[in-house]
Amino acid sequence: MWQIIDAYIGLLIMLTGTFTFGKIVLNEKIKIKKTKFFLLTLLIAIIQTIVGLNLSGTIKTIIMVISNVCFYKLTFKISYKKSMLLALLQMFILIIPDLLELFFLTKVLGFSKEQCYNFYARSIISNIIIILLLIIITYILRKILRRLINEKLEDNKKIICQLILTFICVIMFFYIIIQEFRFQDNVMVYIISILVLIIVLSSLIKQT
């Protein structure tokens, strides 16, 4: 029972981060009544809790992304294309705090990767730290992210498909590495690679 409660509270915290990420990137307020927003958040958290406790791998990730797409669509009243790009951007940026937290626990505090996964990963404390880092990173990168999300890409379906496929592949690659502990010790190289990819994608979009 406590596992379910812990997972639900953790996902409520993550949804708070999801909302804050969207608010910073879109630079907009919520477009629905606060009561509906509150109920929507509780419902999405319930769905993600069920998914998180019963599924794993690619299927779990896809459903989580879809639920976030619906959350953005209903909360900010934006298009499905923009909601999808926003959800993938969030998952993409989340890799950075995940890596930073893992680096701090294993290299600074001396925990093994297995200890981090079994006793700390996705705990309430872990989720709070990750969301705080996500908000800080999002605020720092807000201009680049706004450029990515606000460019008029509706007429260029090729660019949209390339962006979505790029984000999906990178997200799956990094989360497989993190979850199976197959990354090397040079975590900062991974983080820099992600930042460079974001800048490159932003530059390519600007040139379209």
Side-chain angles (χ1 to χ4, degrees):
M1 185 64 182
W2 170 247
Q3 182 185 10
I4 298 174
I5 296 173
D6 183 68
Y8 184 70
I9 294 173
L11 284 165
L12 280 175
I13 294 170
M14 293 299 291
L15 277 175
T16 302
T18 298
F19 166 72
T20 307
F21 176 84
K23 193 174 186 300
I24 293 173
V25 176
L26 295 172
N27 198 24
E28 294 182 6
K29 297 180 179 179
I30 60 174
K31 300 296 180 64
I32 59 175
K33 293 181 179 179
K34 291 183 178 180
T35 304
K36 290 184 178 180
F37 172 71
F38 179 73
L39 292 174
L40 175 65
T41 303
L42 293 179
L43 177 61
I44 296 293
I46 290 173
I47 293 172
Q48 291 188 347
T49 301
I50 295 171
V51 171
L53 293 176
N54 293 281
L55 297 176
S56 61
T58 304
I59 296 177
K60 174 184 173 181
T61 302
I62 291 173
I63 296 177
M64 289 294 194
V65 171
I66 291 173
S67 64
N68 283 340
V69 170
C70 295
F71 181 79
Y72 285 131
K73 168 67 177 174
L74 296 172
T75 300
F76 296 106
K77 302 297 183 181
I78 56 178
S79 67
Y80 279 111
K81 289 180 181 178
K82 186 172 282 190
S83 299
M84 172 64 78
L85 187 55
L86 194 61
L88 291 174
L89 273 173
Q90 181 207 349
M91 290 286 291
F92 190 68
I93 300 297
L94 266 175
I95 296 171
I96 300 176
D98 270 338
L99 288 172
L100 286 173
E101 184 182 51
L102 195 56
F103 175 80
F104 180 79
L105 290 171
T106 56
K107 300 304 176 184
V108 179
L109 298 183
F111 291 107
S112 69
K113 298 165 189 175
E114 289 75 15
Q115 285 176 322
C116 294
Y117 182 79
N118 293 327
F119 303 106
Y120 184 79
R122 299 310 173 198
S123 64
I124 293 175
I125 295 176
S126 174
N127 284 333
I128 291 173
I129 293 173
I130 286 176
I131 288 307
L132 289 175
L133 289 172
L134 172 68
I135 293 171
I136 293 170
I137 294 167
T138 303
Y139 187 78
I140 293 172
L141 299 176
R142 66 190 184 281
K143 291 184 179 180
I144 295 175
L145 295 174
R146 285 172 185 173
R147 182 185 301 167
L148 281 169
I149 205 71
N150 290 321
E151 285 292 333
K152 303 297 182 181
L153 301 175
E154 287 80 1
D155 297 328
N156 198 330
K157 295 181 180 180
K158 184 178 179 180
I159 293 295
I160 294 174
C161 292
Q162 288 176 345
L163 278 173
I164 291 175
L165 288 174
T166 299
F167 283 131
I168 290 174
C169 291
V170 174
I171 288 167
M172 290 179 64
F173 172 73
F174 274 97
Y175 277 107
I176 287 172
I177 287 176
I178 292 170
Q179 290 175 4
E180 297 185 6
F181 309 119
R182 290 190 294 169
F183 66 95
Q184 303 298 319
D185 293 334
N186 50 346
V187 173
M188 296 308 298
V189 173
Y190 295 129
I191 295 174
I192 293 172
S193 299
I194 294 170
L195 294 175
V196 169
L197 182 56
I198 292 173
I199 294 171
V200 170
L201 288 173
S202 177
S203 177
L204 287 173
I205 289 177
K206 190 176 181 180
Q207 294 174 18
T208 59

